[in-house]
Amino acid sequence: IFFKFTEGNHSLGISLGVMDRLDRLIIAFAFPTGILAKYSVMSSLISYFRFVPEFLSRVLIARNDSIYLELRKHKKILILGILLISLMMIFSAQSLIRIFLGNSWILSIGIVIAFGIQELLRGTYQLTLNMIIKRGHTESAKYIPWILIITVLPVAALAIKQFGLIGVPLSFSAVFLLASF
């Protein structure tokens, strides 16, 4: 019954759930456990800010066009606000880790920024797919999430080989970006 009523739109939620954990699995197999621990702490702190794109997605799904139109009117302010919140979350995460766990738990700022970009692009992907679903283009919304998951594995492997740890959030960012357009 669930699959009948959702018309395949459940794949967006599944893909986000898989992608949210897949980066840690990739790191677990490619790097020492200590790196995974540092990355997990950093990414968990930054992930708390996911409420912004998730709120926007729910507004779109609820078809509350008045809120959506209001947000579109203030697009530049919204983008600036998201960028400022992103910078705040990056520096807050680094500060909290430094205070509570010490400097040895700090990842390079490049990795943290790359993960912040990954989170922004994850939100873009979520908003894009919800807009596709809202417009009734459910056929493409069924397949894009699966292509995303299949594509990220080889892209991540190549990015890790080329760039090391920063390749993980960079590869996820690239795949989210491609899946959003």
Side-chain angles (χ1 to χ4, degrees), residues 8-132:
N9 296 333
H10 54 279
S11 59
L12 171 60
I14 292 169
S15 71
L16 287 171
V18 169
M19 294 293 285
D20 290 347
R21 283 141 191 90
L22 193 57
D23 59 344
R24 289 174 186 90
L25 280 172
I26 291 169
I27 291 169
F29 286 106
F31 296 97
T33 306
I35 299 294
L36 173 62
K38 292 176 187 181
Y39 188 89
S40 294
V41 169
M42 176 272 304
S43 63
S44 295
L45 286 172
I46 292 176
S47 295
Y48 280 115
F49 291 91
R50 283 187 182 159
F51 69 88
V52 174
E54 288 178 4
F55 163 76
L56 294 174
S57 289
R58 286 189 173 91
V59 167
L60 293 174
I61 288 173
R63 298 181 180 196
N64 193 334
D65 292 332
S66 63
I67 294 174
Y68 179 69
L69 292 173
E70 194 63 33
L71 291 172
R72 284 196 61 170
K73 282 184 200 175
H74 304 288
K75 192 176 190 176
K76 289 179 183 176
I77 293 171
L78 183 64
I79 291 170
L80 181 62
I82 289 170
L83 290 175
L84 289 174
I85 288 171
S86 299
L87 288 173
M88 182 186 73
M89 71 180 182
I90 287 168
F91 292 111
S92 295
Q94 289 287 77
S95 296
L96 286 170
I97 292 169
R98 184 174 286 115
I99 290 167
F100 291 106
L101 299 174
N103 284 332
S104 64
W105 280 78
I106 299 290
L107 291 171
S108 74
I109 193 70
I111 293 168
V112 180
I113 290 171
F115 184 80
I117 292 168
Q118 172 186 326
E119 285 295 298
L120 289 173
L121 291 171
R122 178 195 180 278
T124 302
Y125 164 75
Q126 185 176 8
L127 286 169
T128 301
L129 261 286
N130 279 326
M131 285 300 293
I132 289 170

